[in-house]
Amino acid sequence: MILSAREYAKKYAGNCSRDTVIRKIQRGLLPTNHIGKKVGRDWVIEIQDLSHLKDYNIILKKKLKK
């Protein structure tokens, strides 16, 4: 799936600013399966498919902040 920085900010980054998403891309702070690139003058984020992981017994949990 390919999203613009604005769409990504709304859906995956907790409704933060588009500029925050761009800074995360530039600093390499996106999750490993989210690849951000600058195409022309626009920033796009490609979210790679993780459906191949359904064959494994993997449980993802959100890390608790202390």
Side-chain angles (χ1 to χ4, degrees):
M1 173 180 357
I2 298 176
L3 300 168
S4 70
R6 186 174 311 244
E7 293 170 331
Y8 185 85
K10 275 187 166 183
K11 290 184 178 182
Y12 293 99
N15 206 20
C16 68
S17 167
R18 173 186 66 91
D19 295 330
T20 302
V21 171
I22 292 170
R23 281 192 293 273
K24 286 183 178 186
I25 293 169
Q26 292 171 337
R27 293 180 182 147
L29 298 176
L30 293 181
T32 55
N33 65 326
H34 297 196
I35 300 172
K37 302 178 197 179
K38 188 169 186 179
V39 178
R41 62 184 186 122
D42 299 322
W43 288 90
V44 295
I45 297 92
E46 177 186 357
I47 301 174
Q48 296 177 345
D49 185 26
L50 294 178
S51 64
H52 63 281
L53 295 177
K54 68 182 177 185
D55 298 335
Y56 300 96
N57 189 13
I58 297 174
I59 299 171
L60 300 176
K61 293 183 182 179
K62 194 170 187 175
K63 186 175 180 180
L64 299 175
K65 294 182 180 179
K66 292 183 180 182

Tab-separated table of all heavy atoms in Angstrom:
chain	number	residue	atom	x	y	z
A	1	MET	N	0.851	-1.153	0.000
A	1	MET	CA	0.000	0.000	0.000
A	1	MET	C	0.908	1.229	0.000
A	1	MET	O	1.919	1.265	0.708
A	1	MET	CB	-0.879	-0.031	1.258
A	1	MET	CG	-1.674	1.192	1.442
A	1	MET	SD	-2.753	1.290	2.906
A	1	MET	CE	-2.631	-0.214	3.738
A	2	ILE	N	0.551	2.231	-0.777
A	2	ILE	CA	1.318	3.469	-0.859
A	2	ILE	C	0.417	4.622	-0.437
A	2	ILE	O	-0.692	4.773	-0.940
A	2	ILE	CB	1.853	3.695	-2.279
A	2	ILE	CG1	2.806	2.558	-2.657
A	2	ILE	CG2	2.550	5.040	-2.379
A	2	ILE	CD1	3.332	2.624	-4.060
A	3	LEU	N	0.922	5.426	0.505
A	3	LEU	CA	0.165	6.553	1.039
A	3	LEU	C	0.992	7.825	0.953
A	3	LEU	O	2.223	7.777	1.017
A	3	LEU	CB	-0.182	6.313	2.513
A	3	LEU	CG	-1.010	5.086	2.848
A	3	LEU	CD1	-1.005	4.867	4.345
A	3	LEU	CD2	-2.417	5.265	2.355
A	4	SER	N	0.308	8.959	0.860
A	4	SER	CA	1.005	10.237	0.952
A	4	SER	C	1.335	10.493	2.418
A	4	SER	O	0.819	9.828	3.321
A	4	SER	CB	0.126	11.358	0.406
A	4	SER	OG	-0.964	11.598	1.287
A	5	ALA	N	2.196	11.460	2.675
A	5	ALA	CA	2.576	11.781	4.058
A	5	ALA	C	1.366	12.219	4.867
A	5	ALA	O	1.232	11.872	6.037
A	5	ALA	CB	3.653	12.858	4.070
A	6	ARG	N	0.456	12.945	4.262
A	6	ARG	CA	-0.749	13.404	4.963
A	6	ARG	C	-1.665	12.233	5.322
A	6	ARG	O	-2.170	12.141	6.434
A	6	ARG	CB	-1.505	14.407	4.098
A	6	ARG	CG	-2.683	15.050	4.775
A	6	ARG	CD	-3.274	16.118	3.891
A	6	ARG	NE	-2.208	16.980	3.411
A	6	ARG	CZ	-2.093	18.263	3.705
A	6	ARG	NH1	-2.995	18.839	4.432
A	6	ARG	NH2	-1.086	18.981	3.256
A	7	GLU	N	-1.876	11.312	4.373
A	7	GLU	CA	-2.708	10.137	4.641
A	7	GLU	C	-2.080	9.258	5.719
A	7	GLU	O	-2.766	8.757	6.601
A	7	GLU	CB	-2.896	9.312	3.363
A	7	GLU	CG	-3.706	9.991	2.299
A	7	GLU	CD	-3.658	9.236	0.975
A	7	GLU	OE1	-2.647	8.549	0.698
A	7	GLU	OE2	-4.637	9.344	0.224
A	8	TYR	N	-0.760	9.094	5.642
A	8	TYR	CA	-0.048	8.280	6.629
A	8	TYR	C	-0.184	8.906	8.019
A	8	TYR	O	-0.383	8.195	9.003
A	8	TYR	CB	1.429	8.173	6.246
A	8	TYR	CG	2.217	7.261	7.140
A	8	TYR	CD1	2.262	5.900	6.901
A	8	TYR	CD2	2.924	7.757	8.237
A	8	TYR	CE1	2.991	5.049	7.720
A	8	TYR	CE2	3.644	6.923	9.060
A	8	TYR	CZ	3.675	5.572	8.795
A	8	TYR	OH	4.386	4.742	9.618
A	9	ALA	N	-0.080	10.214	8.102
A	9	ALA	CA	-0.193	10.905	9.389
A	9	ALA	C	-1.560	10.664	10.020
A	9	ALA	O	-1.662	10.448	11.226
A	9	ALA	CB	0.051	12.397	9.202
A	10	LYS	N	-2.605	10.668	9.203
A	10	LYS	CA	-3.956	10.444	9.723
A	10	LYS	C	-4.177	9.005	10.160
A	10	LYS	O	-4.731	8.739	11.222
A	10	LYS	CB	-5.003	10.796	8.669
A	10	LYS	CG	-5.383	12.227	8.622
A	10	LYS	CD	-6.545	12.404	7.672
A	10	LYS	CE	-7.165	13.764	7.863
A	10	LYS	NZ	-8.329	13.933	7.014
A	11	LYS	N	-3.758	8.039	9.332
A	11	LYS	CA	-4.083	6.637	9.576
A	11	LYS	C	-3.129	5.925	10.527
A	11	LYS	O	-3.551	5.120	11.343
A	11	LYS	CB	-4.110	5.860	8.259
A	11	LYS	CG	-5.267	6.218	7.370
A	11	LYS	CD	-5.280	5.333	6.144
A	11	LYS	CE	-6.473	5.659	5.270
A	11	LYS	NZ	-6.535	4.781	4.103
A	12	TYR	N	-1.823	6.203	10.423
A	12	TYR	CA	-0.843	5.381	11.126
A	12	TYR	C	-0.007	6.131	12.164
A	12	TYR	O	0.633	5.501	12.989
A	12	TYR	CB	0.116	4.716	10.128
A	12	TYR	CG	-0.574	3.697	9.265
A	12	TYR	CD1	-0.995	4.014	7.980
A	12	TYR	CD2	-0.823	2.423	9.737
A	12	TYR	CE1	-1.639	3.085	7.188
A	12	TYR	CE2	-1.464	1.487	8.948
A	12	TYR	CZ	-1.872	1.824	7.678
A	12	TYR	OH	-2.514	0.911	6.901
A	13	ALA	N	0.012	7.429	12.120
A	13	ALA	CA	0.902	8.175	13.014
A	13	ALA	C	0.139	8.937	14.089
A	13	ALA	O	0.638	9.914	14.638
A	13	ALA	CB	1.772	9.127	12.202
A	14	GLY	N	-1.069	8.523	14.380
A	14	GLY	CA	-1.811	9.131	15.472
A	14	GLY	C	-2.311	10.537	15.181
A	14	GLY	O	-2.375	11.365	16.081
A	15	ASN	N	-2.632	10.811	13.929
A	15	ASN	CA	-3.178	12.103	13.507
A	15	ASN	C	-2.215	13.249	13.811
A	15	ASN	O	-2.621	14.334	14.195
A	15	ASN	CB	-4.550	12.354	14.146
A	15	ASN	CG	-5.384	13.297	13.310
A	15	ASN	OD1	-5.125	13.482	12.126
A	15	ASN	ND2	-6.375	13.894	13.918
A	16	CYS	N	-0.924	13.003	13.634
A	16	CYS	CA	0.071	14.051	13.837
A	16	CYS	C	0.202	14.874	12.553
A	16	CYS	O	-0.493	14.647	11.575
A	16	CYS	CB	1.412	13.445	14.238
A	16	CYS	SG	2.203	12.507	12.934
A	17	SER	N	1.116	15.795	12.555
A	17	SER	CA	1.341	16.664	11.410
A	17	SER	C	2.049	15.919	10.284
A	17	SER	O	2.836	14.998	10.515
A	17	SER	CB	2.191	17.850	11.852
A	17	SER	OG	2.674	18.564	10.746
A	18	ARG	N	1.799	16.351	9.068
A	18	ARG	CA	2.484	15.804	7.890
A	18	ARG	C	3.986	16.067	7.997
A	18	ARG	O	4.800	15.217	7.645
A	18	ARG	CB	1.917	16.469	6.635
A	18	ARG	CG	2.633	16.143	5.363
A	18	ARG	CD	2.093	16.963	4.208
A	18	ARG	NE	2.360	18.375	4.375
A	18	ARG	CZ	3.453	18.998	3.918
A	18	ARG	NH1	4.343	18.320	3.248
A	18	ARG	NH2	3.637	20.278	4.110
A	19	ASP	N	4.347	17.231	8.535
A	19	ASP	CA	5.760	17.578	8.692
A	19	ASP	C	6.466	16.651	9.681
A	19	ASP	O	7.638	16.332	9.522
A	19	ASP	CB	5.905	19.030	9.140
A	19	ASP	CG	5.404	20.002	8.081
A	19	ASP	OD1	5.495	19.669	6.877
A	19	ASP	OD2	4.902	21.078	8.447
A	20	THR	N	5.752	16.206	10.703
A	20	THR	CA	6.314	15.259	11.668
A	20	THR	C	6.633	13.937	10.982
A	20	THR	O	7.680	13.341	11.224
A	20	THR	CB	5.336	15.037	12.837
A	20	THR	OG1	5.065	16.283	13.450
A	20	THR	CG2	5.895	14.067	13.845
A	21	VAL	N	5.736	13.491	10.119
A	21	VAL	CA	5.963	12.250	9.372
A	21	VAL	C	7.182	12.404	8.468
A	21	VAL	O	8.020	11.505	8.397
A	21	VAL	CB	4.714	11.859	8.555
A	21	VAL	CG1	5.005	10.708	7.618
A	21	VAL	CG2	3.563	11.526	9.472
A	22	ILE	N	7.320	13.534	7.826
A	22	ILE	CA	8.469	13.775	6.942
A	22	ILE	C	9.765	13.762	7.744
A	22	ILE	O	10.766	13.178	7.321
A	22	ILE	CB	8.290	15.100	6.172
A	22	ILE	CG1	7.134	14.954	5.180
A	22	ILE	CG2	9.574	15.499	5.459
A	22	ILE	CD1	6.703	16.243	4.521
A	23	ARG	N	9.772	14.361	8.926
A	23	ARG	CA	10.968	14.336	9.777
A	23	ARG	C	11.303	12.911	10.210
A	23	ARG	O	12.472	12.528	10.261
A	23	ARG	CB	10.778	15.231	11.004
A	23	ARG	CG	10.974	16.704	10.712
A	23	ARG	CD	11.072	17.511	11.990
A	23	ARG	NE	9.820	17.532	12.735
A	23	ARG	CZ	8.832	18.395	12.541
A	23	ARG	NH1	8.941	19.318	11.610
A	23	ARG	NH2	7.744	18.350	13.280
A	24	LYS	N	10.274	12.115	10.501
A	24	LYS	CA	10.511	10.713	10.873
A	24	LYS	C	11.127	9.943	9.711
A	24	LYS	O	12.001	9.094	9.911
A	24	LYS	CB	9.212	10.045	11.319
A	24	LYS	CG	8.760	10.472	12.690
A	24	LYS	CD	7.508	9.716	13.090
A	24	LYS	CE	7.075	10.092	14.491
A	24	LYS	NZ	5.950	9.263	14.943
A	25	ILE	N	10.670	10.213	8.499
A	25	ILE	CA	11.234	9.559	7.312
A	25	ILE	C	12.710	9.935	7.180
A	25	ILE	O	13.570	9.073	6.978
A	25	ILE	CB	10.469	9.965	6.033
A	25	ILE	CG1	9.046	9.424	6.056
A	25	ILE	CG2	11.215	9.480	4.791
A	25	ILE	CD1	8.166	9.996	4.959
A	26	GLN	N	13.019	11.216	7.299
A	26	GLN	CA	14.382	11.689	7.119
A	26	GLN	C	15.328	11.136	8.181
A	26	GLN	O	16.503	10.912	7.909
A	26	GLN	CB	14.409	13.216	7.145
A	26	GLN	CG	13.739	13.831	5.951
A	26	GLN	CD	13.557	15.330	6.062
A	26	GLN	OE1	13.536	15.890	7.159
A	26	GLN	NE2	13.441	15.992	4.918
A	27	ARG	N	14.828	10.889	9.368
A	27	ARG	CA	15.666	10.382	10.455
A	27	ARG	C	15.631	8.861	10.569
A	27	ARG	O	16.290	8.286	11.423
A	27	ARG	CB	15.216	10.998	11.774
A	27	ARG	CG	15.477	12.480	11.801
A	27	ARG	CD	15.052	13.099	13.088
A	27	ARG	NE	15.294	14.542	13.023
A	27	ARG	CZ	14.559	15.442	13.618
A	27	ARG	NH1	13.527	15.074	14.356
A	27	ARG	NH2	14.836	16.719	13.503
A	28	GLY	N	14.827	8.212	9.724
A	28	GLY	CA	14.763	6.754	9.729
A	28	GLY	C	14.010	6.188	10.916
A	28	GLY	O	14.357	5.125	11.419
A	29	LEU	N	12.958	6.876	11.364
A	29	LEU	CA	12.221	6.465	12.556
A	29	LEU	C	10.911	5.744	12.265
A	29	LEU	O	10.150	5.478	13.187
A	29	LEU	CB	11.941	7.692	13.437
A	29	LEU	CG	13.179	8.410	13.972
A	29	LEU	CD1	12.782	9.652	14.737
A	29	LEU	CD2	13.987	7.479	14.842
A	30	LEU	N	10.654	5.406	11.010
A	30	LEU	CA	9.445	4.654	10.685
A	30	LEU	C	9.672	3.177	10.986
A	30	LEU	O	10.814	2.709	11.029
A	30	LEU	CB	9.097	4.824	9.203
A	30	LEU	CG	8.673	6.217	8.744
A	30	LEU	CD1	8.353	6.177	7.257
A	30	LEU	CD2	7.502	6.733	9.521
A	31	PRO	N	8.602	2.420	11.195
A	31	PRO	CA	8.761	0.971	11.388
A	31	PRO	C	9.464	0.338	10.193
A	31	PRO	O	9.467	0.886	9.093
A	31	PRO	CB	7.313	0.473	11.494
A	31	PRO	CG	6.530	1.657	11.927
A	31	PRO	CD	7.212	2.849	11.320
A	32	THR	N	10.045	-0.829	10.401
A	32	THR	CA	10.870	-1.453	9.361
A	32	THR	C	10.101	-1.794	8.091
A	32	THR	O	10.681	-1.795	7.016
A	32	THR	CB	11.543	-2.733	9.890
A	32	THR	OG1	10.535	-3.599	10.398
A	32	THR	CG2	12.530	-2.410	10.979
A	33	ASN	N	8.809	-2.074	8.200
A	33	ASN	CA	8.055	-2.405	6.988
A	33	ASN	C	7.409	-1.173	6.355
A	33	ASN	O	6.665	-1.299	5.394
A	33	ASN	CB	6.997	-3.471	7.278
A	33	ASN	CG	5.925	-2.981	8.216
A	33	ASN	OD1	6.184	-2.192	9.115
A	33	ASN	ND2	4.715	-3.445	8.027
A	34	HIS	N	7.691	0.027	6.861
A	34	HIS	CA	7.194	1.283	6.295
A	34	HIS	C	8.387	2.008	5.684
A	34	HIS	O	9.297	2.423	6.394
A	34	HIS	CB	6.556	2.159	7.370
A	34	HIS	CG	5.352	1.546	7.996
A	34	HIS	ND1	4.465	2.271	8.740
A	34	HIS	CD2	4.862	0.284	7.989
A	34	HIS	CE1	3.498	1.496	9.179
A	34	HIS	NE2	3.729	0.275	8.731
A	35	ILE	N	8.357	2.173	4.375
A	35	ILE	CA	9.485	2.775	3.666
A	35	ILE	C	9.055	4.121	3.092
A	35	ILE	O	8.155	4.190	2.263
A	35	ILE	CB	9.972	1.850	2.538
A	35	ILE	CG1	10.408	0.519	3.136
A	35	ILE	CG2	11.096	2.502	1.756
A	35	ILE	CD1	10.721	-0.542	2.126
A	36	GLY	N	9.686	5.179	3.559
A	36	GLY	CA	9.366	6.521	3.092
A	36	GLY	C	10.362	6.992	2.053
A	36	GLY	O	11.562	6.750	2.169
A	37	LYS	N	9.861	7.677	1.010
A	37	LYS	CA	10.703	8.172	-0.074
A	37	LYS	C	10.172	9.520	-0.534
A	37	LYS	O	8.987	9.812	-0.404
A	37	LYS	CB	10.658	7.255	-1.289
A	37	LYS	CG	11.068	5.857	-1.087
A	37	LYS	CD	10.904	5.092	-2.382
A	37	LYS	CE	10.901	3.607	-2.117
A	37	LYS	NZ	10.725	2.833	-3.322
A	38	LYS	N	11.043	10.296	-1.122
A	38	LYS	CA	10.631	11.532	-1.760
A	38	LYS	C	10.543	11.257	-3.258
A	38	LYS	O	11.524	10.864	-3.888
A	38	LYS	CB	11.610	12.659	-1.481
A	38	LYS	CG	11.113	13.983	-1.976
A	38	LYS	CD	11.949	15.119	-1.475
A	38	LYS	CE	11.284	16.417	-1.897
A	38	LYS	NZ	12.027	17.572	-1.415
A	39	VAL	N	9.363	11.443	-3.814
A	39	VAL	CA	9.131	11.226	-5.239
A	39	VAL	C	8.755	12.575	-5.835
A	39	VAL	O	7.681	13.097	-5.560
A	39	VAL	CB	8.011	10.196	-5.483
A	39	VAL	CG1	7.750	10.033	-6.966
A	39	VAL	CG2	8.347	8.866	-4.835
A	40	GLY	N	9.671	13.129	-6.615
A	40	GLY	CA	9.445	14.472	-7.124
A	40	GLY	C	9.500	15.449	-5.964
A	40	GLY	O	10.501	15.557	-5.272
A	41	ARG	N	8.388	16.129	-5.718
A	41	ARG	CA	8.341	17.038	-4.570
A	41	ARG	C	7.444	16.513	-3.458
A	41	ARG	O	7.249	17.167	-2.442
A	41	ARG	CB	7.864	18.416	-5.004
A	41	ARG	CG	6.477	18.422	-5.560
A	41	ARG	CD	6.068	19.793	-6.065
A	41	ARG	NE	4.673	19.739	-6.446
A	41	ARG	CZ	3.749	20.516	-5.926
A	41	ARG	NH1	4.068	21.428	-5.065
A	41	ARG	NH2	2.503	20.387	-6.308
A	42	ASP	N	6.922	15.313	-3.629
A	42	ASP	CA	6.009	14.716	-2.654
A	42	ASP	C	6.695	13.597	-1.884
A	42	ASP	O	7.553	12.905	-2.408
A	42	ASP	CB	4.771	14.148	-3.359
A	42	ASP	CG	3.985	15.215	-4.092
A	42	ASP	OD1	3.882	16.331	-3.567
A	42	ASP	OD2	3.488	14.918	-5.190
A	43	TRP	N	6.278	13.417	-0.639
A	43	TRP	CA	6.746	12.314	0.190
A	43	TRP	C	5.694	11.218	0.191
A	43	TRP	O	4.517	11.501	0.389
A	43	TRP	CB	6.997	12.777	1.619
A	43	TRP	CG	8.211	13.633	1.741
A	43	TRP	CD1	8.264	14.988	1.636
A	43	TRP	CD2	9.541	13.198	1.971
A	43	TRP	NE1	9.547	15.414	1.792
A	43	TRP	CE2	10.352	14.344	2.001
A	43	TRP	CE3	10.119	11.954	2.158
A	43	TRP	CZ2	11.719	14.270	2.216
A	43	TRP	CZ3	11.481	11.881	2.373
A	43	TRP	CH2	12.268	13.037	2.402
A	44	VAL	N	6.119	9.986	-0.049
A	44	VAL	CA	5.211	8.844	-0.037
A	44	VAL	C	5.777	7.769	0.882
A	44	VAL	O	6.989	7.651	1.060
A	44	VAL	CB	4.964	8.266	-1.451
A	44	VAL	CG1	4.248	9.260	-2.330
A	44	VAL	CG2	6.242	7.811	-2.079
A	45	ILE	N	4.870	6.999	1.471
A	45	ILE	CA	5.256	5.914	2.362
A	45	ILE	C	4.667	4.628	1.811
A	45	ILE	O	3.463	4.544	1.579
A	45	ILE	CB	4.754	6.159	3.797
A	45	ILE	CG1	5.395	7.412	4.387
A	45	ILE	CG2	5.094	4.977	4.688
A	45	ILE	CD1	4.621	8.643	4.177
A	46	GLU	N	5.527	3.638	1.605
A	46	GLU	CA	5.091	2.326	1.142
A	46	GLU	C	5.050	1.400	2.348
A	46	GLU	O	6.032	1.257	3.071
A	46	GLU	CB	6.058	1.772	0.109
A	46	GLU	CG	5.706	0.385	-0.348
A	46	GLU	CD	6.752	-0.217	-1.273
A	46	GLU	OE1	7.722	0.461	-1.609
A	46	GLU	OE2	6.574	-1.383	-1.639
A	47	ILE	N	3.891	0.793	2.559
A	47	ILE	CA	3.740	-0.156	3.652
A	47	ILE	C	3.766	-1.543	3.040
A	47	ILE	O	2.884	-1.912	2.278
A	47	ILE	CB	2.440	0.089	4.432
A	47	ILE	CG1	2.440	1.511	4.983
A	47	ILE	CG2	2.286	-0.933	5.537
A	47	ILE	CD1	1.164	1.916	5.647
A	48	GLN	N	4.815	-2.287	3.389
A	48	GLN	CA	4.976	-3.620	2.816
A	48	GLN	C	4.032	-4.597	3.486
A	48	GLN	O	3.702	-4.466	4.654
A	48	GLN	CB	6.419	-4.073	2.974
A	48	GLN	CG	7.366	-3.203	2.206
A	48	GLN	CD	8.809	-3.615	2.432
A	48	GLN	OE1	9.109	-4.352	3.358
A	48	GLN	NE2	9.688	-3.130	1.581
A	49	ASP	N	3.634	-5.581	2.727
A	49	ASP	CA	2.689	-6.592	3.186
A	49	ASP	C	3.351	-7.539	4.176
A	49	ASP	O	4.446	-8.034	3.937
A	49	ASP	CB	2.169	-7.371	1.983
A	49	ASP	CG	1.089	-8.348	2.355
A	49	ASP	OD1	0.397	-8.117	3.365
A	49	ASP	OD2	0.935	-9.339	1.622
A	50	LEU	N	2.681	-7.796	5.284
A	50	LEU	CA	3.198	-8.727	6.285
A	50	LEU	C	2.361	-9.998	6.370
A	50	LEU	O	2.447	-10.728	7.341
A	50	LEU	CB	3.236	-8.055	7.663
A	50	LEU	CG	4.216	-6.905	7.809
A	50	LEU	CD1	4.097	-6.307	9.194
A	50	LEU	CD2	5.631	-7.363	7.557
A	51	SER	N	1.571	-10.257	5.338
A	51	SER	CA	0.701	-11.428	5.381
A	51	SER	C	1.485	-12.737	5.420
A	51	SER	O	0.977	-13.754	5.875
A	51	SER	CB	-0.248	-11.431	4.191
A	51	SER	OG	0.480	-11.540	2.985
A	52	HIS	N	2.737	-12.706	4.967
A	52	HIS	CA	3.544	-13.932	5.011
A	52	HIS	C	3.844	-14.344	6.453
A	52	HIS	O	4.209	-15.478	6.706
A	52	HIS	CB	4.845	-13.740	4.238
A	52	HIS	CG	5.739	-12.694	4.821
A	52	HIS	ND1	5.519	-11.357	4.621
A	52	HIS	CD2	6.824	-12.787	5.606
A	52	HIS	CE1	6.442	-10.666	5.252
A	52	HIS	NE2	7.250	-11.507	5.862
A	53	LEU	N	3.662	-13.456	7.418
A	53	LEU	CA	3.926	-13.784	8.817
A	53	LEU	C	2.790	-14.573	9.461
A	53	LEU	O	2.952	-15.071	10.568
A	53	LEU	CB	4.188	-12.506	9.613
A	53	LEU	CG	5.435	-11.728	9.221
A	53	LEU	CD1	5.527	-10.462	10.044
A	53	LEU	CD2	6.676	-12.573	9.384
A	54	LYS	N	1.656	-14.688	8.770
A	54	LYS	CA	0.534	-15.418	9.357
A	54	LYS	C	0.836	-16.908	9.502
A	54	LYS	O	0.167	-17.602	10.260
A	54	LYS	CB	-0.731	-15.214	8.533
A	54	LYS	CG	-0.683	-15.853	7.162
A	54	LYS	CD	-1.924	-15.588	6.380
A	54	LYS	CE	-1.770	-16.201	4.989
A	54	LYS	NZ	-2.859	-15.894	4.127
A	55	ASP	N	1.863	-17.380	8.814
A	55	ASP	CA	2.244	-18.787	8.912
A	55	ASP	C	2.988	-19.090	10.222
A	55	ASP	O	3.202	-20.245	10.552
A	55	ASP	CB	3.134	-19.185	7.732
A	55	ASP	CG	2.395	-19.040	6.412
A	55	ASP	OD1	1.145	-19.114	6.414
A	55	ASP	OD2	3.068	-18.841	5.388
A	56	TYR	N	3.365	-18.051	10.932
A	56	TYR	CA	4.116	-18.211	12.177
A	56	TYR	C	3.236	-17.827	13.360
A	56	TYR	O	2.276	-17.086	13.233
A	56	TYR	CB	5.365	-17.324	12.159
A	56	TYR	CG	6.295	-17.659	11.021
A	56	TYR	CD1	6.251	-16.935	9.830
A	56	TYR	CD2	7.209	-18.698	11.108
A	56	TYR	CE1	7.097	-17.236	8.778
A	56	TYR	CE2	8.055	-19.006	10.064
A	56	TYR	CZ	7.988	-18.275	8.904
A	56	TYR	OH	8.820	-18.574	7.865
A	57	ASN	N	3.583	-18.298	14.514
A	57	ASN	CA	2.843	-17.990	15.726
A	57	ASN	C	3.470	-16.744	16.375
A	57	ASN	O	4.211	-16.833	17.341
A	57	ASN	CB	2.881	-19.183	16.687
A	57	ASN	CG	1.957	-18.980	17.851
A	57	ASN	OD1	1.116	-18.089	17.835
A	57	ASN	ND2	2.110	-19.790	18.871
A	58	ILE	N	3.181	-15.574	15.813
A	58	ILE	CA	3.755	-14.317	16.283
A	58	ILE	C	2.649	-13.476	16.902
A	58	ILE	O	1.595	-13.284	16.309
A	58	ILE	CB	4.410	-13.541	15.122
A	58	ILE	CG1	5.573	-14.354	14.559
A	58	ILE	CG2	4.873	-12.172	15.583
A	58	ILE	CD1	6.199	-13.746	13.329
A	59	ILE	N	2.917	-12.981	18.092
A	59	ILE	CA	1.968	-12.100	18.764
A	59	ILE	C	2.643	-10.741	18.949
A	59	ILE	O	3.688	-10.642	19.605
A	59	ILE	CB	1.550	-12.672	20.135
A	59	ILE	CG1	0.874	-14.027	19.935
A	59	ILE	CG2	0.636	-11.701	20.864
A	59	ILE	CD1	0.613	-14.778	21.221
A	60	LEU	N	2.076	-9.706	18.352
A	60	LEU	CA	2.620	-8.365	18.477
A	60	LEU	C	1.936	-7.649	19.622
A	60	LEU	O	0.708	-7.637	19.718
A	60	LEU	CB	2.428	-7.577	17.176
A	60	LEU	CG	3.084	-8.178	15.939
A	60	LEU	CD1	2.727	-7.364	14.715
A	60	LEU	CD2	4.577	-8.243	16.110
A	61	LYS	N	2.725	-7.057	20.507
A	61	LYS	CA	2.183	-6.315	21.631
A	61	LYS	C	2.769	-4.916	21.626
A	61	LYS	O	3.941	-4.733	21.279
A	61	LYS	CB	2.550	-6.988	22.960
A	61	LYS	CG	1.907	-8.325	23.172
A	61	LYS	CD	2.286	-8.866	24.533
A	61	LYS	CE	1.696	-10.241	24.750
A	61	LYS	NZ	2.079	-10.794	26.058
A	62	LYS	N	1.975	-3.955	22.019
A	62	LYS	CA	2.439	-2.596	22.118
A	62	LYS	C	3.314	-2.462	23.360
A	62	LYS	O	2.962	-2.959	24.425
A	62	LYS	CB	1.261	-1.638	22.197
A	62	LYS	CG	1.616	-0.215	21.976
A	62	LYS	CD	0.363	0.617	21.834
A	62	LYS	CE	0.736	2.021	21.438
A	62	LYS	NZ	-0.431	2.834	21.186
A	63	LYS	N	4.442	-1.801	23.214
A	63	LYS	CA	5.359	-1.644	24.335
A	63	LYS	C	4.798	-0.607	25.305
A	63	LYS	O	4.360	0.467	24.894
A	63	LYS	CB	6.727	-1.181	23.810
A	63	LYS	CG	7.781	-1.134	24.858
A	63	LYS	CD	9.124	-0.791	24.244
A	63	LYS	CE	10.190	-0.739	25.293
A	63	LYS	NZ	11.496	-0.409	24.721
A	64	LEU	N	4.788	-0.945	26.568
A	64	LEU	CA	4.291	-0.036	27.587
A	64	LEU	C	5.337	1.015	27.915
A	64	LEU	O	6.512	0.708	28.093
A	64	LEU	CB	3.915	-0.808	28.855
A	64	LEU	CG	2.819	-1.845	28.700
A	64	LEU	CD1	2.646	-2.599	29.999
A	64	LEU	CD2	1.519	-1.166	28.306
A	65	LYS	N	4.900	2.266	27.998
A	65	LYS	CA	5.812	3.356	28.360
A	65	LYS	C	5.876	3.440	29.874
A	65	LYS	O	4.898	3.288	30.567
A	65	LYS	CB	5.320	4.674	27.788
A	65	LYS	CG	5.357	4.712	26.288
A	65	LYS	CD	4.921	6.043	25.778
A	65	LYS	CE	4.960	6.075	24.270
A	65	LYS	NZ	4.524	7.359	23.736
A	66	LYS	N	7.069	3.677	30.372
A	66	LYS	CA	7.243	3.796	31.831
A	66	LYS	C	7.441	5.226	32.222
A	66	LYS	O	7.876	6.044	31.542
A	66	LYS	CB	8.438	2.970	32.287
A	66	LYS	CG	8.180	1.505	32.146
A	66	LYS	CD	9.339	0.717	32.672
A	66	LYS	CE	9.069	-0.762	32.538
A	66	LYS	NZ	10.122	-1.573	33.059
